[in-house]
Amino acid sequence: DIQMTQSPSTLSASVGDRVTITCRASQTIGNWLAWYQQKPGKAPNLLIYKASYLETGVPSRFSGRGSGTEFTLTISSLQPDDFATYFCQQYNTTYSFGQGTKLEIK
Amino acid sequence: QVQLVQSGAEVKKPGASVKVSCRTSGYTFTDFYIHWVRQAPGQGLVWLGWIDPKTGHTDYALQFQGWVTLTSDTSINTAYIDLNRLRSDDTAVYYCAREYCSGGNCYYFFDYWGQGTPVIVSS
């Protein structure tokens, strides 16, 4: 099974900050990676797929990069609505998720 | 608009079974696989399996084979997950989710999700 490891587990930041979350795969997955945002008590919401493609309706302050085993999600200027938990998911071989990164207000 | 609406919360005793439904609308049910994912309290997401509503074909994560059964009813555009021999560590929110398709190609990530069904296993 492919293991997905996110870092950091928790990230404290302020409105307006630029933040980056990293996701590493235990073996190469090409660019078959998605990112989701999840708020408490809600289902995940798709942000990015194929490592860097922005889902329709997602603000352009979100961006994704990477291929192979290392990927990043960047939020260019944090907005109050962005404080949530973020998960990566690989869909190269079966389907597995990272453990999540909680983005909290500093 | 696309909607996936799940059945309500369940409380079960260890050893019991439960069936959760996922009623879909706003798209052609048989054109998209439905996946199931669970999330234990404070934990990450774990993929359980998928069903192709058109054919009834299924695939399960290895660790859940023999424990999870996925079915669907095309007459009412609804998918189901059956969980057997429940244990306390099966306590989680169970989500259905639709695979993403574009340009005739489909991929196993998810653009629409149900609201989640909490399943609590407690004696």
Side-chain angles (χ1 to χ4, degrees), chain A residues 30-88:
Chain A
N31 58 359
W32 303 116
L33 185 100
W35 288 97
Y36 300 88
Q37 177 194 69
Q38 186 180 35
K39 295 185 177 178
K42 300 293 187 183
N45 181 51
L46 177 66
L47 299 174
I48 285 171
Y49 61 94
K50 209 172 178 183
S52 62
Y53 288 66
L54 203 64
E55 170 67 340
T56 303
V58 174
S60 59
R61 62 181 180 273
F62 291 91
S63 64
R65 296 188 65 179
S67 67
T69 61
E70 185 153 335
F71 302 84
T72 58
L73 171 70
T74 298
I75 309 172
S76 60
S77 178
L78 274 174
Q79 300 302 301
D81 192 49
D82 299 338
F83 293 96
T85 299
Y86 293 84
F87 292 95
C88 60

Side-chain angles (χ1 to χ4, degrees), chain A residues 1 32 34 36 38 41-46 49-50 55 87 89 91 94-95 97-99, chain B residues 35 37 39 43-47 50 59 62-63 95 100 107-111 113-115:
Chain A
D1 287 4
W32 303 116
Y36 300 88
Q38 186 180 35
K42 300 293 187 183
N45 181 51
L46 177 66
Y49 61 94
K50 209 172 178 183
E55 170 67 340
F87 292 95
Q89 179 220 340
Y91 50 101
T94 62
Y95 327 103
F97 295 85
Q99 81 281 11
Chain B
H35 294 245
V37 174
Q39 186 172 35
Q43 302 299 309
L45 300 159
V46 177
W47 176 76
W50 58 252
D59 187 29
L62 268 175
Q63 66 194 96
Y95 292 101
Y100 178 94
Y107 307 92
Y108 293 167
F109 61 93
F110 318 117
D111 57 356
W113 295 66
Q115 83 276 21

